[in-house]
Amino acid sequence: MLAMWVEQLLGYAGGALAAIRDDEHYPTLMAWAREEGVKYLGGNLAQAQALAPELWNQTPLARLDFACEPLARPGPNEPCWCDSGRKMKHCCGGVQLPGAVPPHLMWMLSLRDWKGDLLKAALDSGRAPAQALLEAGLIAAESGQRGRAQQILETLFDAADWSRLPEQTEPAFELLIDIYQERGFNRKRAALLDAILERGPLFLRGVALERLCLMHLDSDDLASAREAFVRAQQTLPDSPTLAYIEAMLLLHEGHPEEAGERARFWFRRLARRGDLDADQLQFLADLADNPGATLAEQMVNSEEALAEPLINLQALLEALPTPPRLHFQRREDGRIEYHSTAREDTLDAAWRDVFGVEVDEEAALGFQDDPWPQAGEWLVGLCSHPEWLDSPRVVQTLSMALASRFGSLPWMAESFFAPLARRLEHWLEQLEAFQGRFAWDDADNAVILRAGLALVVGMERGDRQRSRHLAERLLVLDDQDNLGLRELVLDQLLREGRDREALDLSDQPAADDDAPLLGVLMGRVLALYRLERFDDAEDSLDAVQALNGHAIAMMCADNPKPVPLAVEVPEPGTKAEAWQYRALMRDQWVATRGALKWLSEQRRRLAESPPAR
């Protein structure tokens, strides 16, 4: 019965609004109610007449700068406001409507219908009720009008008094943050988050901190993510979302066992409350049992149209047989070459027909276009033809595609990257038996090396030890480090506390007299500091300052302004390069006792007597 009333009310209100807009005068509405409105209410004239004044009283009028023109409610013995000529108590006053009439309904419908300058003027008037803005913004987003939704929801959060925001504002806030991210309005997104954290209601501050933590995780800024998580925990200590975020954070930080322990803590704590629905409780139970697998499953299922193909790909990779041997040959100068066979070329050609995007041969990792819009086709094709993975070129391309989408998510390593790594490692064992240099530019060698780099990147966060071992094997084969793996291995050695090995690796000269990488130099400084070779650490820090004048200041700053990374590899010497290193490795400097204090002292020393260039 209530559902029928809601449907009738919306139809009647929409028609009433159209009638009001003809001249924005009350008699026009009453004439419509008796002639047309009654049709929306099953022919009930009494209800049609009684409902019209209620809606009129809450309708914004453009001729009054979007104020309403409410009628005074008549007393029981006064003439009824529907102009029937009868007393109120014998007319509309005696009508019982089947359900409530939301006081913001006509504002919400008006915001749904108005366009262009009229909508802007209505929003600028400041008269729109918060609930009307909330609902109109959500409706616009659901219908695909993201720009309109942004315009309406921005007005909701421009209100001076946020304490009056309805509790249901949370999904609107998250929606507006998502819209800013989708449309590239990063400054607006940051400003909204800052405003919420500064003066927003408590329930929104907790949500903002959770979103901020996830944003820092997406950009690999683990130190800032941890700080945001702690603040969120203090603000909303019993939010179930914190269990999910802490598991993600610990996995990003390389602590899978602690992630499991904390997930079990959250499950025990939140299950005792008894106010979670069955789905929430089951998710927490799954998270406690296996955080990585649970997050991976959630990630795959969130892909909507790609969920089933990705699940099938997981099953395929798990069941892959041992790959056939490749054709390697040793040259007279001792260098090893890989040459693809006719069968491998045929398999790759079939794969490329469905994949449709070419590898950028001039880059270590990259495509000439984005392969994921066509992923539904190539995922299905690959699952139908698993023999394609006998070709290293197919393994290379698939690994690169997966790394581009899932490489930053630690919990995806076991599902997608580990099975492909086992396949590549089988080929590397065959290659290493030749005991020679495997140069990037020789024959088809780049295919093997590029596939290895993609898998190293894909496993770097989820299985650091395996990622490092694979990177070290590739470094031995390609001693010129065309893949830029030395910096990655160095960072992982530092994370494992293997400082002497990290120092030895940093001593190796760059290939072809290239300039040293900032990460290698900073890693060398940290290794020397940990080994208490402070004079050598100072000398290396001078080289850092000469290479990038922003790096030391960026590392020392408590809350520097993030630098957007316009390209995957920032230009040497830029703030973007310094920011990227900070995001990747500041947690290691923080974890090293006294390191940041020493670095700040060195910064002052360099400021007083900058090193000679």
Side-chain angles (χ1 to χ4, degrees), residues 145-174:
Q145 302 175 76
R146 309 294 273 185
R148 183 185 185 88
Q150 176 182 328
Q151 185 180 12
I152 294 172
L153 293 178
E154 283 178 339
T155 305
L156 174 65
F157 291 103
D158 280 342
D161 185 6
W162 282 3
S163 65
R164 298 184 180 181
L165 288 175
E167 285 286 330
Q168 302 93 330
T169 305
E170 180 180 328
F173 165 71
E174 296 201 90

Side-chain angles (χ1 to χ4, degrees), residues 26 30 34 49-50 53 74 79-86 88 91-92:
Y26 181 64
M30 289 312 306
R34 295 187 178 98
Q49 292 182 148
C80 187
W81 57 1
C82 75
D83 292 335
S84 65
R86 294 185 292 167
M88 181 70 170
C91 192
C92 293

Side-chain angles (χ1 to χ4, degrees), residues 173-474:
F173 165 71
E174 296 201 90
L175 173 61
L176 184 54
I177 290 294
D178 288 338
I179 291 174
Y180 282 152
Q181 185 164 344
E182 291 170 10
R183 307 185 79 201
F185 295 135
N186 296 323
R187 290 183 180 177
K188 284 191 171 186
R189 182 183 65 177
L192 177 58
L193 284 169
D194 289 343
I196 291 288
L197 292 174
E198 180 181 345
R199 58 187 179 88
L202 184 63
F203 74 96
L204 276 187
R205 270 184 282 162
V207 176
L209 285 165
E210 291 172 354
R211 290 303 297 260
L212 193 61
C213 182
L214 294 174
M215 286 165 51
H216 288 315
L217 286 178
D218 287 342
S219 62
D220 281 331
D221 188 355
L222 301 186
S224 298
R226 171 61 67 180
E227 180 183 346
F229 171 77
V230 171
R231 291 174 64 192
Q233 195 173 17
Q234 294 168 344
T235 305
L236 291 176
D238 293 322
S239 170
T241 309
L242 292 176
Y244 162 74
I245 293 178
E246 187 170 25
M248 294 175 61
L249 179 56
L250 286 167
L251 289 173
H252 270 279
E253 291 173 337
H255 306 303
E257 293 182 1
E258 188 177 350
E261 292 174 3
R262 292 296 296 170
R264 289 188 285 275
F265 161 80
W266 282 106
F267 174 67
R268 290 192 299 269
R269 175 177 175 176
L270 297 174
R272 284 196 297 267
R273 284 173 36 189
D275 60 348
L276 300 182
D277 61 41
D279 288 342
Q280 284 180 309
L281 202 58
Q282 185 59 55
F283 176 77
L284 289 173
D286 293 340
L287 197 67
D289 182 56
N290 190 328
T294 302
L295 293 173
E297 181 181 1
Q298 184 195 50
M299 179 74 247
V300 168
N301 289 329
S302 70
E303 292 287 324
E304 297 181 359
L306 295 181
E308 185 177 349
L310 286 170
I311 291 171
N312 292 337
L313 177 63
Q314 285 177 305
L316 166 64
L317 295 178
E318 187 177 349
L320 276 179
T322 301
R325 294 174 65 81
L326 301 182
H327 178 62
F328 295 108
Q329 66 181 40
R330 185 185 183 90
R331 298 185 348 185
E332 292 183 359
D333 60 5
R335 289 156 68 142
I336 312 303
E337 293 181 343
Y338 158 63
H339 295 270
S340 62
T341 64
R343 177 177 181 269
E344 291 161 7
D345 290 342
T346 300
L347 295 174
D348 179 55
W351 158 255
R352 289 167 66 182
D353 282 344
V354 297
F355 192 74
V357 176
E358 296 296 325
V359 172
D360 183 356
E361 301 291 347
E362 300 301 317
L365 282 184
F367 293 104
Q368 294 181 3
D369 203 353
D370 182 5
W372 283 96
Q374 299 84 33
E377 298 176 21
W378 54 259
L379 283 169
V380 171
L382 181 61
C383 291
S384 300
H385 299 279
E387 69 277 5
W388 290 350
L389 288 169
D390 289 349
S391 165
R393 287 190 185 276
V394 177
V395 172
Q396 164 202 252
T397 313
L398 177 62
S399 300
M400 290 171 59
L402 293 172
S404 71
R405 194 173 186 94
F406 303 120
S408 63
L409 305 176
W411 44 91
M412 304 304 283
E414 185 61 31
S415 299
F416 289 136
F417 299 104
L420 291 169
R422 287 193 292 271
R423 201 165 194 77
L424 183 72
E425 287 161 354
H426 182 84
W427 288 329
L428 291 184
E429 289 175 5
Q430 180 188 348
L431 170 58
E432 288 162 343
F434 284 84
Q435 297 183 344
R437 183 184 171 206
F438 193 68
W440 171 274
D441 294 325
D442 291 344
D444 298 318
N445 294 2
V447 172
I448 302 290
L449 295 171
R450 192 182 282 115
L453 176 60
L455 293 170
V456 166
V457 170
M459 297 187 297
E460 181 184 2
R461 294 165 180 82
D463 192 345
R464 284 188 173 135
Q465 187 175 47
R466 186 168 196 167
S467 173
R468 179 176 56 76
H469 287 164
L470 179 55
E472 289 173 338
R473 293 175 73 175
L474 294 171

